[in-house]
Amino acid sequence: MARNRWMDEHFADPYVKRAQAEGYRSRAAYKLMEIDARDRLIRADSIIADLGAAPGGFSQYAARRLGPAGRLVAVDILPMDPLPGVTFIQGDFTEPECYAQVLSALGDRVDLVISDMAPNMSGVGASDQARAVGLAEIAIDFAVSCLTADGSCLIKVFQGAGFTELLADMRRRFQRVATRKPPASRPRSPEVYLLGTGLRPVVSGPES
Ligand SMILES: C[S@@+](CC[C@H](N)C(=O)[O-])C[C@H]1O[C@@H](n2cnc3c(N)ncnc32)[C@H](O)[C@@H]1O
């Protein structure tokens, strides 16, 4: 889209105006707000990981919902201005050191993993989609490795190549999987969120 047209649409967008009026850093905050209004993901005492958090709209919304017993650890490759109640780790979540740092900051109970990670779009559709699928797979693996049995994960994915396989993978690992396209997600965007709840117990095979 031409830059001028993008700017016109951006500033006419009611969610951009609302974010400015309500002090949110990004219109993305309303996507999480709308999903949370429907699915009640965040409790006052939730321990939450926010993957791909910058500039911080999701984190801001989630932190506002938490009480003193709740905790939020956010991570992004990009820097993010501090937010009250949020521990921010700057790093590439696909790197083992960063992954381990986030796990250790969370502690031994994690109730909710949110991933809004998206690659920098190169404009080459097939490779952008493959990188987006790769980020979603890492977020799902992370969620499965650390969530409590009744925990949830909300993962951004893009409809296209690899989407059906991601959905099948989520269904193998969670008892309930729902697709969410909140009104704040632009209709022309292929993004949707997969919501997984209730980890399936790991069935180990016979020992050899
Ligand atoms: C759509 S933005 C997130 C918006 C954010 N949820 C909000 O509410 O403001 C996607 C983010 O994913 C981050 N990201 C992409 N790849 C990443 C990676 N490998 N590790 C950490 N963050 C990553 C990008 O830097 C970008 O800030």
Side-chain angles (χ1 to χ4, degrees), residues 19-95:
Q20 283 163 350
E22 294 176 4
Y24 282 109
R25 292 177 181 180
S26 66
R27 68 186 294 295
Y30 298 100
K31 301 178 197 175
L32 181 59
M33 190 184 293
E34 288 166 354
I35 296 172
D36 187 40
R38 174 173 180 174
D39 294 293
R40 299 275 154 224
L41 298 177
I42 302 170
R43 299 186 314 261
D45 65 348
S46 294
I47 311 290
I48 305 175
D50 181 7
L51 314 178
F58 275 27
S59 283
Q60 260 181 311
Y61 168 73
R64 288 180 187 184
R65 300 266 294 116
L66 293 178
R71 217 141 41 75
L72 197 157
V73 175
V75 59
D76 205 290
I77 296 186
L78 299 176
M80 183 168 104
D81 288 338
L83 279 172
V86 176
T87 301
F88 178 65
I89 294 167
Q90 188 178 356
D92 180 344
F93 193 65
T94 65
E95 296 291 335

Side-chain angles (χ1 to χ4, degrees), residues 57-137:
F58 275 27
S59 283
Q60 260 181 311
Y61 168 73
R64 288 180 187 184
R65 300 266 294 116
L66 293 178
R71 217 141 41 75
L72 197 157
V73 175
V75 59
D76 205 290
I77 296 186
L78 299 176
M80 183 168 104
D81 288 338
L83 279 172
V86 176
T87 301
F88 178 65
I89 294 167
Q90 188 178 356
D92 180 344
F93 193 65
T94 65
E95 296 291 335
E97 303 77 42
C98 177
Y99 189 104
Q101 223 183 326
V102 175
L103 259 186
S104 124
L106 284 162
D108 51 16
R109 192 192 102 210
V110 183
D111 302 301
L112 176 63
V113 172
I114 302 165
S115 171
D116 202 25
M117 285 192 289
N120 261 337
M121 297 299 176
S122 68
V124 180
S127 86
D128 287 343
Q129 177 68 7
R131 289 188 303 136
V133 167
L135 290 173
E137 281 170 347

